[in-house]
Amino acid sequence: MIQPAYAEKWPTTEFVFEKTDPYSSVPSFLNPFSGFSSAEKKVIADYEAYLSEVAVYYEKLGFKAPPLERTKGRKGGNAYRVYFFDYDDDDPIARASYSENGRITLQVDYSRAIVKGKPVDRTYEDLAHELFHNIQRGYQLSYELDHGNWIMEGQAQALGMDAAWRLRKIDVYKGKQDGYRLGGRRYYEPLPATDTQKSYRTASFWRYLGEQHAASKHNARPGVAVLLPDYSYLVEVFDNPFGGPVSANGDMMWLDEGLRKATGIGLARHYASFTSTFAAYVPARLTAEPTTSAQQAEDNWLNFNFGTCPTISLSPGKPSGDARLDLRKNASRCFKAEVTGEGNADISIHVRGETIAALKALYVGTSGGDRVGGVQIVPSPAGGGYLGHWRFRIAGGEPQVFIISNMADNPALTKNFPVTVNVTTSRWESSMTSPRPQKSASNSSQQKAASAAAAPSSSNPGFRDPSREAAQAELAAGLKSLSNQTALGSHASFERRRAPCQKDFALTGCGPLTSIQLELTPGAIGDLTQTTGTGGGLGQVMSQFTAIADNGAFRTDRDWKAAMQEAKDSEGSSVGITMPLIEYGFTGSFDNAAIVVNGGKGSGNYQALGPQDSQIGRGRAFRQSGKVTIEEFTPYVMRGSFSANLTDMSRVEFTEEDVDPTLPIHRTISGRFVIAAPWEGDPQFADYVPTSVDSGMQDLAQAFPGVGNGDVSDLMTQKTPAGSGGTLGAFPTCDCGCEPLETYSAVCQPVCKVKYMQCHWQAAASMDYDIRKKERDALEADVDMMREDLKRFVREQNKMDQEEAYLQLFDEQETAEDKRRILMSYGMNVGKYGDDETQRAAANPHIQTRDEYIAGLKEQDLPQKTIDHLIGLMDEAMEEVGGWPEPQ
């Protein structure tokens, strides 16, 4: 690992207190110790010795020497002058001065530094604090180029408190002012604080960066446990000269660049990790027992630092919920998610935004900082805009605190973002399901286990990586479970490009499809979109691979296979549901869905069929008879219920004498499902916005913190992609049935079309069956001509060298219609293929009469009872639109 280069050796580390007023025009020739008692002289000597110790500490960190005035040392040579005189008690006991003429001084208030001949503890902290101000000024290019106090005072406060503890074990606020000691401030307001008190309290941010830097040297991360910070990261930050502008944005851009050089990670990611970790400092880092319960102390801490912290409670009856947060730029807010029941549960978190840039500024982390994830962005399938998505696994039965931060890669471009956070839990259950929940420690016990002494020892005895440990523990526990609450175990997929049905869906399973797969799965890491570590998508994948390595690759593979085999051998451990394609917003029921249930060891799969034979006479046809109800379908959640009478067809034997047999019912099943983020199975929308090289490099630095100590800046770029999804609208909700489409709203007509067609499938197929058949026949006859025309087109376009590739792609298309589409993509005119009659028919479709409709049904060899049923449905439908057309 590359360590920061040390600055040149300081000219001196000695300090001499002189009883002199730097603002007086009368020089003092008095002995600095004249007029003091022997006790007071001892105190002054100790202060001088302490300042020398602080100077050696700062020098070893690598900071430049402060440009202080010098005087004669006690034993000859030079020493830094400290002005010791009486000044306004409203100022600190020690203070640093920087005047417009470039003069930099260190001053101490004589009236308060010594009380009754004794030193004052606060003086030690103030001396180290103000000496660091002198150092800061040495890096300042001019008097006007001053940083905001959240940098100047926040840094000095952090280092002043640290030095007092390291060198004299002095903790001024221990046991009485923990809020100030820990640096509690309104982080729901922008990081660049303008209020003086908040500026001092921003010491918490700089101290966290010091803990992070200390841990990174051991390839670890900071957590709730106290670590001795390493402030040498600031050396490289200061070596990046601040040229302005003097503003909050100027400060953040300067800091972002410096942190990237020092750690390989930008300000936005450091800030997200900090606020997530900082949220759990109480009660873990308290030095005095809270006057309330530990839970109330935690809530008070969260509300003080992050504003009101709403709870989103989830249950089987309410698996999805929202919370509105006014998220300001370069700030953070908190919310809680609670899932009822036992065991771990997977949750999806969604935020919808109008632009990609707005969503890319968001990070979500768990309290304590074990898991902090960058956003995944996809186009919103409904309502406009884009969706930001995160997935976490949390313990059931208690609230999990989350921190959401809003800071862009270029913090100056961050915008205020009032967000609505949606949280949805993934789960399923059935009358045949036997899950074994994943056991986990509660959040509160994890925090207690992670906490150490309220103050660190003089040397850190060892470094833990709570993020890595949590990922490995989650993996190990998950391999011993068969959970019904994982994202992998409840998912949907959508096949949109299948050819439309020509026959009854229940008999053929034809047309565009929606499939639902429900499985008991090991609650182990497996979903690569899950947040298990820190960083963006690449960082989370690397965190999971690291967890597998920590658990043992062989052991992980062995336990995973054993769990999967157990699931395979368990009756009812998986349920597959197939139904016609539905659109977002659909609600309604199907009674002809295909449902297949795992029969377990020694049995075949159970199927929802019949049970009556629907084909009268010879031959058998058993319709799919699964019942599925969709109660809600948005990009956030698909939830509903299912039921079926089940038959194991491997146990059914037919004889020649069996005419119109009835299938035996071996099992019955009923259940419910909740699928979070169903868009993940929709190829039309699951198009992730790619990450940049810069993001990948930061992922690397976060996944392996030791890497960040090297200089990876040459491999980084800073780009903030823009994009707009337009004005956001509400997700549609449509109660779909068999009514004519004209009775639905304009929004719901396309959503409910699939249900209407299922109710009247034969009508939809028969109305244009002849037209499609004629068109297909005409195109098939033209295939040879189409191929010859393609050769001619290639020659005319002077692309003879590509002719083979063109023809190969043409020949690979299965249908004549697909071949015509390929020619269209080449820019060829395809209007001449297909006869004129077919083209006219397509433009003016013929509406069948009742007799023609019946004849079409009979041509397909359908049972008479099926024909009678369909005719009844069509009579009702045609009556709604004015009746059947008259024969011509």
Side-chain angles (χ1 to χ4, degrees):
M1 295 183 295
I2 301 174
Q3 302 294 338
Y6 285 114
E8 293 182 6
K9 187 174 177 62
W10 287 22
T12 182
T13 55
E14 184 183 357
F15 290 79
V16 170
F17 278 50
E18 293 186 355
K19 187 179 179 182
T20 308
D21 183 344
Y23 307 108
S24 172
S25 58
V26 179
S28 174
F29 300 100
L30 298 176
N31 186 307
F33 285 91
S34 63
F36 297 126
S37 67
S38 59
E40 289 174 330
K41 291 179 181 179
K42 288 182 180 179
V43 172
I44 293 173
D46 187 57
Y47 284 157
E48 290 178 344
Y50 171 71
L51 272 175
S52 292
E53 295 170 23
V54 174
V56 170
Y57 170 50
Y58 288 164
E59 181 185 33
K60 287 183 177 179
L61 286 175
F63 293 109
K64 292 180 181 178
L68 283 167
E69 297 176 0
R70 277 176 268 176
T71 188
K72 185 177 180 180
R74 298 287 181 205
K75 298 179 181 180
N78 289 327
Y80 290 122
R81 176 184 288 119
V82 179
Y83 291 96
F84 194 46
F85 67 106
D86 190 15
Y87 57 75
D88 194 333
D89 287 357
D90 288 339
D91 286 345
I93 296 176
R95 68 184 184 185
S97 174
Y98 181 37
S99 57
E100 195 166 358
N101 62 7
R103 186 186 185 194
I104 296 175
T105 61
L106 179 60
Q107 307 166 12
V108 178
D109 185 7
Y110 159 58
S111 67
R112 288 177 293 146
I114 304 174
V115 176
K116 296 181 180 180
K118 301 291 183 181
V120 176
D121 281 354
R122 176 64 183 269
T123 307
Y124 293 94
E125 179 189 306
D126 282 2
L127 286 171
H129 178 120
E130 301 303 323
L131 179 58
F132 192 74
H133 276 321
N134 297 141
I135 291 173
Q136 289 171 321
R137 299 303 184 184
Y139 287 95
Q140 195 164 323
L141 297 180
S142 71
Y143 182 77
E144 292 78 16
L145 290 175
D146 205 355
H147 289 298
N149 278 340
W150 68 281
I151 293 178
M152 301 296 287
E153 297 296 352
Q155 289 176 350
Q157 183 65 16
L159 274 93
M161 293 173 68
D162 177 65
W165 170 254
R166 283 177 185 263
L167 303 175
R168 295 300 173 91
K169 293 298 181 287
I170 292 173
D171 189 340
V172 176
Y173 314 99
K174 182 179 179 180
K176 51 189 176 183
Q177 289 180 274
D178 269 325
Y180 186 86
R181 176 178 169 275
L182 296 176
R185 55 152 280 196
R186 295 174 181 172
Y187 280 111
Y188 62 84
E189 295 178 352
L191 174 63
T194 55
D195 178 88
T196 301
Q197 278 300 311
K198 293 173 194 170
S199 295
Y200 278 85
R201 288 170 176 256
T202 308
S204 49
F205 173 65
W206 302 104
R207 183 181 303 118
Y208 169 83
L209 292 178
E211 292 186 19
Q212 190 274 337
H213 194 56
S216 72
K217 291 183 177 180
H218 299 265
N219 203 32
R221 299 175 183 82
V224 174
V226 180
L227 295 177
L228 275 175
D230 178 356
Y231 291 103
S232 64
Y233 73 92
L234 283 173
V235 174
E236 196 158 359
V237 172
F238 283 136
D239 281 343
N240 177 41
F242 178 60
V246 178
S247 64
N249 284 342
D251 281 342
M252 288 189 294
M253 293 171 67
W254 167 80
L255 178 58
D256 177 67
E257 184 177 352
L259 288 175
R260 286 172 184 265
K261 290 182 177 179
T263 68
I265 303 170
L267 175 59
R269 295 196 184 206
H270 278 303
Y271 177 72
S273 295
F274 158 66
T275 52
S276 296
T277 307
F278 181 68
Y281 280 9
V282 170
R285 290 197 182 190
L286 293 179
T287 58
E289 286 294 323
T291 57
T292 62
S293 66
Q295 183 60 59
Q296 187 60 55
E298 178 188 18
D299 289 341
N300 293 342
W301 176 254
L302 291 171
N303 292 337
F304 178 75
N305 290 290
F306 302 107
T308 304
C309 195
T311 299
I312 303 173
S313 298
L314 307 177
S315 65
K318 186 179 179 294
S320 184
D322 299 327
R324 176 76 172 181
L325 300 173
D326 290 325
L327 188 54
R328 298 182 62 181
K329 63 181 180 180
N330 303 311
S332 299
R333 292 294 305 270
C334 65
F335 64 92
K336 299 179 182 179
E338 182 174 10
V339 179
T340 60
E342 298 181 352
N344 283 358
D346 284 359
I347 62 170
S348 282
I349 299 173
H350 284 99
V351 171
R352 192 150 60 113
E354 291 190 352
T355 66
I356 292 175
L359 290 170
K360 281 181 71 68
L362 303 182
Y363 290 83
V364 175
T366 53
S367 177
D370 290 350
R371 293 170 290 169
V372 183
V375 66
Q376 297 168 336
I377 304 175
V378 296
S380 176
Y386 296 87
L387 296 182
H389 178 243
W390 299 261
R391 177 167 285 127
F392 289 86
R393 182 165 293 161
I394 66 173
E398 61 180 289
Q400 170 65 60
V401 177
F402 290 94
I403 305 298
I404 180 170
S405 66
N406 177 29
M407 183 179 288
D409 279 345
N410 181 346
L413 300 179
T414 316
K415 305 294 183 184
N416 291 336
F417 192 0
V419 298
T420 297
V421 177
N422 175 273
V423 180
T424 301
T425 181
S426 298
R427 65 174 291 120
W428 72 282
E429 57 191 21
S430 82
S431 55
M432 295 175 65
T433 309
S434 299
R436 186 174 68 251
Q438 176 180 339
K439 302 297 183 181
S440 64
S442 68
N443 298 321
S444 56
S445 63
Q446 286 174 350
Q447 290 179 7
K448 291 177 182 177
S451 66
S457 61
S458 58
S459 61
N460 289 318
F463 289 86
R464 299 170 53 251
D465 188 339
S467 180
R468 182 168 173 173
E469 291 172 359
Q472 191 276 329
E474 183 176 286
L475 172 66
L479 288 169
K480 295 179 174 61
S481 71
L482 279 183
S483 176
N484 63 336
Q485 299 184 99
T486 69
L488 282 177
S490 304
H491 63 271
S493 59
F494 306 88
E495 298 179 63
R496 298 177 175 276
R497 299 179 63 85
R498 291 166 57 96
C501 285
Q502 301 297 326
K503 295 187 177 182
D504 188 350
F505 170 85
L507 290 170
T508 63
C510 57
L513 301 176
T514 296
S515 299
I516 296 173
Q517 190 64 37
L518 311 172
E519 297 178 295
L520 294 183
T521 64
I525 297 171
D527 176 9
L528 295 182
T529 66
Q530 187 173 311
T531 303
T532 60
T534 58
L538 178 61
Q540 302 305 332
V541 172
M542 288 190 288
S543 172
Q544 295 184 39
F545 288 163
T546 302
I548 292 172
D550 289 343
N551 193 58
F554 176 78
R555 176 184 175 187
T556 301
D557 183 63
R558 180 198 62 200
D559 292 349
W560 178 268
K561 288 179 178 178
M564 295 302 293
Q565 185 63 47
E566 181 184 355
K568 183 179 179 181
D569 292 343
S570 302
E571 182 183 69
S573 60
S574 69
V575 178
I577 302 171
T578 304
M579 59 188 180
L581 181 71
I582 59 175
E583 297 296 342
Y584 300 92
F586 177 91
T587 63
S589 301
F590 296 97
D591 60 5
N592 57 356
I595 295 182
V596 180
V597 181
N598 176 34
K601 189 174 184 179
S603 297
N605 288 333
Y606 296 115
Q607 301 178 63
L609 294 173
Q612 288 78 27
D613 180 3
S614 61
Q615 183 168 324
I616 298 176
R618 291 294 178 183
R620 288 183 291 270
F622 297 103
R623 293 169 57 86
Q624 309 285 356
S625 57
K627 296 177 174 60
V628 180
T629 298
I630 303 298
E631 299 169 4
E632 182 180 6
F633 182 27
T634 73
Y636 298 160
V637 59
M638 175 190 281
R639 64 181 178 91
S641 61
F642 61 94
S643 62
N645 295 322
L646 301 172
T647 301
D648 180 355
M649 293 299 292
S650 67
R651 295 157 57 184
V652 177
E653 295 183 3
F654 297 110
T655 66
E656 293 184 2
E657 290 74 25
D658 288 336
V659 178
D660 299 331
T662 299
L663 294 176
I665 298 174
H666 295 127
R667 291 285 190 275
T668 61
I669 190 171
S670 61
R672 300 187 60 80
F673 58 86
V674 181
I675 300 170
W679 54 263
E680 289 184 302
D682 192 339
Q684 181 170 321
F685 299 104
D687 181 17
Y688 290 95
V689 174
T691 57
S692 63
V693 173
D694 168 61
S695 178
M697 292 305 300
Q698 290 192 72
D699 280 344
L700 179 65
Q702 289 191 285
F704 305 104
V707 174
N709 291 320
D711 186 3
V712 296
S713 59
D714 291 343
L715 300 176
M716 296 185 177
T717 59
Q718 297 186 49
K719 295 180 180 179
T720 304
S724 176
T727 303
L728 300 183
F731 297 141
T733 299
C734 306
D735 186 9
C736 301
C738 296
E739 295 78 10
L741 291 177
E742 292 78 5
T743 62
Y744 298 100
S745 67
V747 172
C748 287
Q749 284 182 18
V751 172
C752 293
K753 183 178 179 181
V754 62
K755 177 62 178 177
Y756 176 82
M757 292 182 68
Q758 279 302 114
C759 295
H760 311 289
W761 69 268
Q762 188 60 49
S766 298
M767 290 293 187
D768 61 351
Y769 176 77
D770 291 339
I771 295 172
R772 289 203 302 267
K773 186 175 186 303
K774 287 182 179 180
E775 185 177 12
R776 285 198 303 273
D777 291 345
L779 283 174
E780 290 292 348
D782 287 344
V783 167
D784 291 341
M785 182 174 65
M786 294 162 69
R787 197 173 193 278
E788 291 302 315
D789 286 348
L790 175 57
K791 291 181 179 179
R792 188 178 302 108
F793 175 79
V794 169
R795 289 193 294 271
E796 291 173 352
Q797 298 294 317
N798 292 321
K799 297 180 179 180
M800 284 77 76
D801 57 329
Q802 302 178 39
E803 180 176 347
E804 183 177 347
Y806 275 71
L807 292 174
Q808 180 180 351
L809 184 57
F810 175 83
D811 293 337
E812 286 174 353
Q813 307 309 307
E814 294 184 1
T815 68
E817 180 58 37
D818 288 338
K819 294 178 186 293
R820 181 162 66 171
R821 291 194 186 99
I822 285 294
L823 298 186
M824 291 175 63
S825 71
Y826 294 157
M828 291 177 57
N829 176 16
V830 297
K832 57 184 175 179
Y833 306 122
D835 58 31
D836 293 340
E837 180 181 349
T838 299
Q839 299 297 330
R840 286 194 301 271
N844 301 285
H846 169 64
I847 306 301
Q848 291 179 317
T849 66
R850 191 175 190 275
D851 290 340
E852 290 172 335
Y853 174 72
I854 295 173
L857 296 180
K858 290 181 177 179
E859 288 177 0
Q860 299 183 52
D861 297 323
L862 293 176
Q864 186 60 46
K865 60 182 180 182
T866 301
I867 293 176
D868 292 341
H869 174 69
L870 293 170
I871 291 173
L873 290 175
M874 280 303 300
D875 284 341
E876 294 176 6
M878 298 307 292
E879 184 65 26
E880 295 287 338
V881 295
W884 290 94
E886 294 295 328
Q888 297 180 356

